[in-house]
Amino acid sequence: KKNEQAAGPVVNGLQLSLSADKTETFISKDGKTEKPVALKLTFTNVSDKAIKFNAFDFHFSRINGEVKAVPADSLKIQRIAADRVPFAPKAGDFPEIKPGESWIYQRELAFPGSIPEGGSTFAQYTVVKPGEFRIKFTYSSKEINSPFAKDMWVGEIVSNEVVITITEVKKADEKK
């Protein structure tokens, strides 16, 4: 099946797939990258039972993005810790994913850009020269002491890897 989306391995009936709106973008000679590549995380219930999904504090605590660059020096990374007050889970933080259905997260995920690393830490990725960038995400859901979290999905899943190529843009007047 060609139209099937790449995805990571299934864990306890849940599968995570990472997709990008494009797999190539350009960098100019002065180091400016074109529009970043938008990333999307899709969690699919591949079991025959409904899954109570843990979306509590999702952007800060649940997901950890990882970027591998070739060559390694084509990327500049600045880590930023978010200074914030933790808040309590609400009922809406635990949506139900019915069998065969998905929950999609695509807010503020882009490369180059800020990628969550879990534990309220973010990595700000800046591309400084052309290269190939392999990106994947890990989602982690541990027990939470909250009545809303009862019977939620617990475990860790890894997405497929998305490869983004960034090449140098050629000016129209440049000789090929």
Side-chain angles (χ1 to χ4, degrees):
K1 296 176 189 171
K2 274 201 179 113
N3 64 352
E4 243 182 56
Q5 201 172 353
V10 176
V11 177
N12 302 337
L14 195 61
Q15 190 171 40
L16 172 56
S17 71
L18 171 64
S19 55
D21 66 347
K22 56 188 173 182
T23 55
E24 190 178 21
T25 188
F26 298 93
I27 187 167
S28 62
K29 279 214 179 343
D30 58 0
K32 291 206 177 24
T33 329
E34 271 194 348
K35 189 174 168 285
V37 176
L39 302 171
K40 180 169 89 175
L41 293 171
T42 304
F43 295 84
T44 304
N45 180 348
V46 294
S47 75
D48 53 6
K49 293 183 202 66
I51 286 175
K52 187 177 195 175
F53 182 73
N54 178 6
F56 171 64
D57 206 23
F58 187 86
H59 200 77
F60 290 98
S61 304
R62 299 287 144 247
I63 49 171
N64 179 352
E66 187 187 325
V67 180
K68 288 197 174 100
V70 179
D73 66 351
S74 56
L75 200 54
K76 198 172 92 197
I77 307 167
Q78 182 188 2
R79 290 201 160 70
I80 301 155
D83 184 21
R84 61 197 194 99
V85 178
F87 50 94
K90 308 180 296 300
D93 291 327
F94 304 95
E96 183 183 75
I97 307 175
K98 291 181 171 57
E101 292 188 359
S102 297
W103 185 86
I104 294 170
Y105 185 81
Q106 53 191 357
R107 200 187 105 222
E108 298 162 19
L109 285 181
F111 181 83
S114 174
I115 305 244
E117 291 195 314
S120 295
T121 309
F122 294 84
Q124 182 68 43
Y125 289 99
T126 308
V127 173
V128 290
K129 65 183 192 187
E132 184 183 86
F133 305 91
R134 297 177 170 273
I135 304 171
K136 69 178 178 185
F137 280 84
T138 301
Y139 165 85
S140 178
S141 170
K142 295 178 177 66
E143 294 288 352
I144 293 176
N145 186 7
S146 161
F148 303 121
K150 189 176 176 328
D151 302 325
M152 72 169 187
W153 186 94
V154 172
E156 188 172 270
I157 46 176
V158 180
S159 74
N160 54 299
E161 193 174 65
V162 164
V163 180
I164 296 168
T165 308
I166 297 186
T167 50
E168 195 164 85
V169 72
K170 295 262 186 271
K171 298 270 190 298
D173 58 358
E174 261 185 52
K175 303 262 188 297
K176 284 210 163 57

